[in-house]
Amino acid sequence: MDIFHIEGPVQLSGSVTINGSKNASLPIMAAAILAPGKSTLRTVPHLSDISVCGKLLSQLGCKLTREPDGDICIDSTVIDNPVGEYEIVRRMRAGICILGPLLARCGRAEVSMPGGCAIGVRPVDLHLRGLQELGAQIHLKNGYIIAEAPNGLKGKNIFMGGPFGSTVLGTANVLMAATLAKGRTVIESAACEPEIANLANCLNKMGAKIKGIGSPRLIIEGVKELQPTEFEVIPDRIEAGTFMVAAAITASELHLQNCRLDEMMAVVDRLRSIGITIERKDNGCIVAKNGQIKPTDITTQPYPGFPTDLQAQFMALLSLAEGNSVIIEKVFPDRFMHVAELNRMAANLRKEGPAVIVAGVKKLIAAPVMASDLRASAALVLAGLAAEGTTIVSRVYHIDRGYEKIEERLNPLGANIIRQSI
Ligand code: EPU
């Protein structure tokens, strides 16, 4: 198990290229199931979640190769074991998004129920309801979801909204299944996240007929078959947002390359409101901090609202604001494992139900802290860059799930992070 020693405070400068999106790559890898043959995916990041997804696809019968340039080739000619094992889905909830494509291709799928995780309960009822609407018969057995559609799926108008709004992977599952269903499917209250738009564009390149991409109403005309394709995943907007916070929290200037500001409007809006300048440059932007950080209020929401996946990182940043901020979590109301750890670093955070009152402090002070989930651990690394002294972050494997060798990206910019295997 690795730990980080982070020396702070530091100033950063220079340029960093944002990697391909984890959360776009995972459902797109699952989409390869739908088109027998060899698909090639470009700019897929080297992350442990991607390796786990590759292992899951291999267990189904796919053959995967990783080219030196980073492309992933998925040969889905043979799928002879349509089962998503507990051992894998337990480690990575996104494993659930093989359910829709397997059902559409094989007429049957068995996928382990994912269970809860550090950020909350995370049910899959909307995934299952959507697939049932398409005609699947679904029952649970020994912790597995057994989905069957021996005579194929049939298009329908489906409402996919839930108590917290749309569902990202639920939309991905039903969208993928609907591409091969008979007739027209309309998904109302579909997730509008750029990762879902990227998936839909990939499916269209494979021969699917999807309209309304990027909107809450997806219209899918079912087709008989899909063809394998070559496709490039979008830059990771959450990684980009994390580097923006890195610049802001260290009072630095960074050039982010390969970053789509148009997909980050809520984030850019909040950063500008607290005094950070963000200017477009080339295929990215320059992020710089001028003067004190002002306090602000943030409410996480489905896209195009402020992303829950940047809530923890912004909490670290607002800890150093000149005044009080309020952060309300409306996507995963329990996603606050980082609060106690940031308080160990002398932040002043008070949780009130699904909200946290962030009273700005003058400085953060290094401490040993424990990473609890992917984005919480990113927040601790960011806090460590600004804190006085040596912050020790344990359970670094959480951060490796979603950030490719973060220390090797931050150190050339001026950070001082040492990874130690213990
Ligand atoms: N929900 C339900 N029923 C369902 C599905 C979801 O009630 O059947 C609820 C969830 O409990 C949550 C809300 O709906 O309160 C939204 O969950 P959603 O289904 O959109 O989340 P997800 O698809 O499981 C993806 C990302 C998460 C990201 C969320 C929200 C991937 C692989 N995961 O999860 O990313 O936080 O969307 O944007 O795309 C991360 O990268 O760190 C991460 C957790």
Side-chain angles (χ1 to χ4, degrees):
M1 224 196 282
D2 292 356
I3 62 173
F4 277 159
H5 297 254
I6 306 174
E7 207 64 53
V10 290
Q11 263 230 312
L12 305 178
S13 65
S15 159
V16 63
T17 301
I18 302 306
N19 288 325
S21 157
K22 164 180 88 78
N23 288 350
S25 299
L26 293 169
I28 290 175
M29 286 174 76
I33 294 171
L34 292 163
K38 280 188 190 166
S39 286
T40 302
L41 306 181
R42 307 211 186 285
T43 60
V44 176
H46 289 84
L47 299 172
S48 57
D49 269 14
I50 299 293
S51 312
V52 172
C53 184
K55 201 167 165 203
L56 186 60
L57 293 177
S58 302
Q59 284 191 353
L60 305 177
C62 297
K63 293 194 172 66
L64 273 89
T65 43
R66 190 50 126 151
E67 306 297 336
D69 58 6
D71 292 356
I72 284 192
C73 181
I74 303 172
D75 182 347
S76 64
T77 308
V78 177
I79 298 224
D80 51 10
N81 179 39
V83 183
E85 300 283 356
Y86 172 67
E87 266 318 300
I88 296 195
V89 181
R90 163 180 86 78
R91 284 165 61 194
M92 189 195 59
R93 288 185 47 90
I96 190 71
C97 66
I98 61 171
L99 183 63
L102 275 181
L103 183 64
R105 167 142 176 207
C106 309
R108 180 185 165 83
E110 285 181 36
V111 179
S112 170
M113 280 285 278
C117 66
I119 67 175
V121 184
R122 301 186 79 181
V124 290
D125 55 319
L126 298 170
H127 300 232
L128 304 189
R129 214 176 67 195
L131 295 172
Q132 276 168 331
E133 297 266 21
L134 292 178
Q137 283 154 22
I138 295 184
H139 65 279
L140 301 181
K141 193 176 163 196
N142 302 335
Y144 278 73
I145 301 159
I146 318 277
E148 290 166 306
N151 302 317
L153 299 166
K154 222 170 142 215
K156 204 171 168 192
N157 286 11
I158 302 172
F159 177 73
M160 291 281 304
F164 300 96
S166 53
T167 157
V168 175
L169 291 177
T171 302
N173 245 331
V174 176
L175 171 65
M176 288 191 275
T179 57
L180 292 180
K182 284 188 203 103
R184 169 185 284 208
T185 300
V186 179
I187 305 178
E188 298 282 3
S189 196
C192 303
E193 270 69 5
E195 294 75 19
I196 294 298
N198 201 214
L199 168 68
N201 284 323
C202 178
L203 291 166
N204 275 353
K205 203 161 176 236
M206 293 163 96
K209 291 194 174 145
I210 304 166
K211 286 190 182 149
I213 294 176
S215 82
R217 174 186 283 168
L218 291 172
I219 302 164
I220 307 119
E221 298 293 344
V223 294
K224 284 216 159 55
E225 55 180 26
L226 297 179
Q227 291 81 42
T229 192
E230 285 185 17
F231 193 76
E232 184 170 319
V233 300
I234 52 173
D236 196 315
R237 64 194 168 101
I238 305 303
E239 185 184 273
T242 305
F243 277 99
M244 286 175 178
V245 175
I249 204 167
T250 56
S252 307
E253 179 174 310
L254 286 180
H255 180 190
L256 271 53
Q257 304 197 53
N258 192 36
C259 155
R260 298 185 175 184
L261 287 189
D262 294 343
E263 292 173 355
M264 302 182 65
M265 288 181 71
V267 175
V268 170
D269 175 68
R270 287 301 81 193
L271 284 170
R272 286 189 174 139
S273 76
I274 62 171
I276 313 298
T277 52
I278 298 176
E279 277 163 21
R280 284 177 195 271
K281 186 174 182 202
D282 308 329
N283 65 346
C285 62
I286 303 274
V287 186
K289 174 178 174 270
N290 297 320
Q292 256 297 325
I293 299 166
K294 292 185 219 144
T296 194
D297 293 340
I298 290 179
T299 301
T300 68
Q301 281 168 334
Y303 189 85
F306 188 93
T308 171
D309 290 346
L310 284 171
Q311 178 255 109
Q313 298 89 319
F314 270 71
M315 194 175 294
L317 175 61
L318 292 174
S319 295
L320 290 169
E322 219 171 25
N324 294 348
S325 305
V326 177
I327 297 183
I328 303 174
E329 179 51 74
K330 287 217 169 164
V331 179
F332 293 111
D334 295 326
R335 193 176 201 175
F336 287 124
M337 301 286 280
H338 41 284
V339 168
E341 300 305 294
L342 288 171
N343 277 344
R344 301 192 74 246
M345 298 179 73
N348 186 354
L349 312 175
R350 190 157 52 86
K351 185 176 166 316
E352 292 281 348
V356 170
I357 298 155
V358 184
V361 293
K362 288 228 158 17
K363 62 181 183 187
L364 294 173
I365 302 170
V369 285
M370 199 182 283
S372 55
D373 73 76
L374 167 53
R375 308 303 172 185
S377 49
L380 300 178
V381 170
L382 292 167
L385 296 175
E388 267 178 19
T390 308
T391 298
I392 297 176
V393 182
S394 53
R395 302 197 177 173
V396 158
Y397 62 87
H398 284 293
I399 202 162
D400 293 335
R401 291 186 48 207
Y403 297 88
E404 191 175 330
K405 296 189 182 135
I406 186 111
E407 75 281 20
E408 290 183 18
R409 315 274 304 290
L410 286 167
N411 285 346
L413 302 173
N416 185 353
I417 306 177
I418 297 170
R419 181 188 287 259
Q420 183 193 4
S421 295
I422 51 167

